[in-house]
Amino acid sequence: MAVTVMKYEASHGWPHAMRGERTCEQLQSGEEPEALRFLAERPIHTVVVGSMMRDNGAVSPNNRGLFYVCRDRTKKIEGVALIGHATIIEARTDHAVAAFAQLAAHSQQAPLIRGERSTVETFWKHYSEYGQRARLVCREMLFEKSERLPAFEPVTELRLATLQEAEHVVT
C-alpha cells in the first residue's frame, strides 16, 4: 500500500503562518494510538472519526476512505482526517486543513466534507483552488444544550422485575 507524504514550505505559495516544514501522511495499521490520543482531546467533536478508527483500525475498507495525519516540524500532530466517501477533518491549524484539502482534491472519492463550520469554510477556501466547487452546503446542529428537564417525582414502589415478570415488562 502506498503512503502519501507531502511537505509544505512557505515558498510554495502557502500563507506566511505556514513557514517551516509540515508533513502529511497516510496513517498505517498500528499507528492508531497516537492519533486516538489527539482525537481524545476534543471527544465530543471527534466521536465519529474516533469511533471509526477504533472500530475498523486505520486501514480498512469499512472506513470508505483513508486516514491521514498532518504533523508540524517537531512531528507533533496538528490534524487527523478521514478522506474518502465522507471527508471528516479534525485539525488544530489552518495549514493542516489546507494540506487535507489538497489531499482531498487529488482523491478519487471525496464527495462530502463534514466538520465544524470554520474548518469546512477553511477547507473550501483551499479546495476551490483546485477547481472544485460546492454543489450543496448544509448546516446541522450535532448537539444542542437546552433547559434542564423538570425533576421527576420519586417512585416509591419501583423495584427490579423478576424472571416471571420479564415477559410482561417486555410487552
Side-chain angles (χ1 to χ4, degrees), residues 55-67:
D55 292 350
N56 305 323
V59 180
S60 170
N62 293 334
N63 294 330
R64 297 182 73 188
L66 300 172
F67 277 102

Side-chain angles (χ1 to χ4, degrees), residues 39-110:
L39 295 172
E41 292 173 12
R42 293 177 11 115
I44 292 175
H45 297 86
T46 61
V47 66
V48 172
V49 73
S51 295
M52 291 180 75
M53 190 180 294
R54 275 188 295 281
D55 292 350
N56 305 323
V59 180
S60 170
N62 293 334
N63 294 330
R64 297 182 73 188
L66 300 172
F67 277 102
Y68 290 89
V69 64
C70 185
R71 299 176 185 277
D72 66 13
R73 67 179 171 266
T74 67
K75 305 300 180 201
K76 181 180 176 189
I77 294 179
E78 293 187 342
V80 172
L82 174 63
I83 298 177
H85 175 73
T87 296
I88 306 169
I89 295 172
E90 174 62 17
R92 304 292 193 277
T93 64
D94 285 349
H95 77 267
V97 177
F100 295 141
Q102 182 178 356
L103 282 167
H106 294 94
S107 169
Q108 296 300 311
Q109 52 163 346

Side-chain angles (χ1 to χ4, degrees), residues 83-154:
I83 298 177
H85 175 73
T87 296
I88 306 169
I89 295 172
E90 174 62 17
R92 304 292 193 277
T93 64
D94 285 349
H95 77 267
V97 177
F100 295 141
Q102 182 178 356
L103 282 167
H106 294 94
S107 169
Q108 296 300 311
Q109 52 163 346
L112 172 78
I113 173 71
R114 169 171 251 165
E116 292 180 71
R117 177 188 278 181
S118 62
T119 300
V120 172
E121 288 171 352
T122 301
F123 176 89
W124 273 107
K125 182 180 93 180
H126 295 287
Y127 195 63
S128 65
E129 293 172 4
Y130 299 96
Q132 305 295 330
R133 297 285 175 251
R135 183 178 59 82
L136 177 65
V137 177
C138 300
R139 299 204 185 344
E140 59 186 24
M141 182 82 63
L142 291 179
F143 299 101
E144 179 181 2
K145 184 177 179 181
S146 60
E147 297 299 317
R148 295 188 73 184
L149 295 173
F152 292 98
E153 296 292 323

